[in-house]
Amino acid sequence: MDGILNINKPFGITSFDVVLKIRRIYSQKRVGHGGTLDPYATGVIPVFLGRSTRLIEYLSSVSKTYLAEIELGTETDSYDSEGEVTSRKPFDRITREMIQTALLDFQGEITQIPPMYSAVKHRGMRLYNLARQGLEVERNPRTAMIYSIKLLDCNLPVLRLRIECGHGTYIRSIAFDLGRKLGCGAYLKSLVREAYGQFNLAKSLSFTDLEAAKNEGKLQDILLPPEIAIGHLPRVTLDEKNITRLVNGLEITLEQNDRPEVIAVYNTKNRFAAIIQPESDGSWHPAKVFVNQCLKENAD
């Protein structure tokens, strides 16, 4: 089967555990997820089946929205609730106004240092493997984009924030850096991913939903079409002749005023057909082709 599942990942399992469960339920090996969530985090994780896995890379340009609980006064070695406590400091003097002022520095493009408990590599080794050996190494700072960060609730020592951010943002690092800025320390107590591009928590599925669909023979029915993952890309509609050229790996020409990095191609009956990329000579070539019924539909 080809398609996408908008899964609500439960607490305590890894993103790869989610993939393994989907493989078992669908009896299908070609399954991949569109964005890692730590075991303690819950919420939206898109899971791609079959040929849809070829579209995972295009999710990197969409935003994600998180509901984060941050506890002031305590730091942990992992920056989250899974780590060992490394320090405690009083937070009594912290006010809501101080927090609001500090959050102003977490807007727009920011710089973060990845946590030691992360998948970033250092000389070929994952940082979390080094951290488990009790080692700490120097990490290069990285840029992240924060589109919005809002204080929803302030019931000290716990804050609730809603954060919309770009790819590669460490919410744990935001918690740690906010604590340092306030002078009392902080760690990420809980995290829920509420949205990831077109996918949102309100329309997500639990594993109970999937098991019910399997028992009713409706596993195909609950799959979302592959093109939902690339709804943010610019698009163009092409006729049968041009789609045939793409199927055969040939370039095409387009009347385009701008030249985005990729364009989603649809046939004349609004069926997703391909992803194309620009060439230096002005033409466009197929990067990914999804044409099962496109030529037949155009012919009909």
Side-chain angles (χ1 to χ4, degrees):
M1 297 184 189
D2 299 321
I4 303 172
L5 293 167
N6 176 14
I7 298 297
N8 181 0
K9 188 190 86 65
F11 180 87
I13 68 172
T14 68
S15 298
F16 188 63
D17 289 334
V18 173
V19 170
L20 293 178
K21 286 177 177 288
I22 301 301
R23 285 177 179 171
R24 177 183 58 79
I25 292 172
Y26 275 82
S27 299
Q28 185 162 320
K29 290 185 177 180
R30 196 175 180 186
V31 179
H33 67 79
T36 301
L37 276 176
D38 290 326
Y40 70 86
T42 65
V44 171
I45 180 167
V47 178
F48 295 67
L49 283 75
R51 294 184 309 150
S52 298
T53 55
R54 301 168 66 206
L55 297 176
I56 291 176
E57 64 183 276
Y58 300 109
L59 277 184
S60 63
S61 61
V62 303
S63 67
K64 306 172 187 178
T65 302
Y66 294 93
L67 180 63
E69 279 194 344
I70 295 173
E71 183 166 332
L72 303 182
T74 302
E75 288 185 350
T76 71
D77 56 4
S78 62
Y79 300 179
D80 60 37
S81 58
E82 300 294 291
E84 298 292 330
V85 173
T86 56
S87 72
R88 296 188 191 275
K89 293 181 180 179
F91 54 85
D92 311 48
R93 66 178 183 82
I94 305 299
T95 65
R96 187 184 186 98
E97 289 71 26
M98 292 171 65
I99 296 167
Q100 293 279 28
T101 299
L103 289 177
L104 294 176
D105 290 335
F106 295 88
Q107 306 264 12
E109 187 173 274
I110 66 171
T111 300
Q112 294 186 315
I113 295 178
M116 275 302 300
Y117 283 88
S118 65
V120 175
K121 287 187 175 182
H122 174 78
R123 296 179 179 176
M125 292 189 66
R126 301 288 185 186
L127 288 181
Y128 57 72
N129 287 326
L130 295 173
R132 288 167 184 160
Q133 298 174 36
L135 302 175
E136 183 168 355
V137 298
E138 185 175 353
R139 288 96 72 196
N140 293 324
R142 296 183 169 199
T143 59
M145 178 58 69
I146 309 299
Y147 299 107
S148 68
I149 182 167
K150 298 179 181 178
L151 179 61
L152 302 180
D153 188 37
C154 179
N155 185 17
L156 293 180
V158 178
L159 317 176
R160 292 176 71 245
L161 304 178
R162 176 165 286 119
I163 303 169
E164 183 183 0
C165 58
H167 178 72
T169 303
Y170 288 99
I171 307 299
R172 286 178 289 151
S173 291
I174 290 178
F176 178 84
D177 293 341
L178 176 61
R180 285 292 174 95
K181 189 171 290 292
L182 293 171
C184 62
Y187 74 97
L188 182 62
K189 186 175 184 179
S190 69
L191 186 67
V192 180
R193 185 152 66 196
E194 297 183 313
Y196 189 173
Q198 303 284 342
F199 307 97
N200 61 70
L201 195 56
K203 296 183 178 180
S204 63
L205 298 171
S206 67
F207 286 116
T208 301
D209 296 328
L210 265 63
E211 292 291 355
K214 182 177 182 179
N215 293 335
E216 296 169 7
K218 295 182 178 180
L219 285 177
Q220 178 70 59
D221 298 341
I222 62 174
L223 285 175
L224 299 170
E227 57 265 33
I228 194 172
I230 46 91
H232 59 287
L233 297 181
R235 59 179 287 170
V236 66
T237 299
L238 297 180
D239 57 20
E240 181 183 355
K241 178 181 177 181
N242 278 305
I243 289 179
T244 300
R245 288 187 62 85
L246 295 177
V247 171
N248 291 322
L250 301 175
E251 76 283 350
I252 62 171
T253 57
L254 290 178
E255 296 292 333
Q256 288 286 124
N257 294 327
D258 56 354
R259 291 179 66 77
E261 292 183 2
V262 293
I263 293 180
V265 174
Y266 290 75
N267 71 357
T268 54
K269 294 191 176 180
N270 202 35
R271 178 94 175 189
F272 174 53
I275 300 287
I276 57 176
Q277 295 177 325
E279 293 281 9
S280 57
D281 63 2
S283 65
W284 295 78
H285 75 276
K288 307 284 174 69
V289 178
F290 294 77
V291 292
N292 272 350
Q293 299 296 322
C294 286
L295 297 179
K296 180 179 182 300
E297 288 175 355
N298 274 339
D300 293 343

